[in-house]
Amino acid sequence: QTITQKQLLGHPDEPLTCCSVSLDDEFIVVGGAKGGVYAWDSETGAEYRQYDGGHTGPVQTVMCYAMEDGSHIIISCGAADHTITVWDLETSSQRAKVHVTELDQAKNVRYFVSKDGTQ
């Protein structure tokens, strides 16, 4: 099997710390060392959106989920700033932000979202 690289993902303003492909393979989402979150279209390799203001430190984990209605959400985690942020991928608006005091002690953080987005 041959793998062809379409574009090297990166950002000029900050080094990237984590990466994930949406479960429907439509988007690639990444987290940055300065707290930025970015999404790329996986087909074209073009940057799709930038998500600001969710974290004040490095993003430790980022995941993208396709919802039942066809929309997507991104969940990002910044262990140093103790926050988990939920983003609307298409509008880049913040849906929720949770402060978790013990988050800096976590070694691995994983999230799961129900298909209808209610849990």
Side-chain angles (χ1 to χ4, degrees), residues 40-117:
W40 277 268
D41 181 301
S42 63
E43 182 65 31
T44 66
E47 187 172 340
Y48 183 73
R49 293 249 194 284
Q50 181 172 331
Y51 308 86
D52 295 316
H55 300 285
T56 59
V59 177
Q60 178 184 359
T61 308
V62 65
M63 298 289 290
C64 182
Y65 296 92
M67 306 313 295
E68 215 169 53
D69 65 2
S71 66
H72 293 79
I73 62 167
I74 297 173
I75 302 177
S76 57
C77 171
D81 67 3
H82 306 275
T83 59
I84 296 172
T85 306
V86 180
W87 305 92
D88 183 302
L89 183 134
E90 284 81 9
T91 67
S92 69
S93 62
Q94 235 181 69
R95 284 191 177 185
K97 189 171 187 175
V98 180
H99 183 84
V100 182
T101 306
E102 298 82 13
L103 200 54
D104 60 344
Q105 303 298 317
K107 299 295 181 207
N108 293 303
V109 177
R110 298 281 183 248
Y111 342 90
F112 297 94
V113 178
S114 63
K115 276 291 211 183
D116 64 3

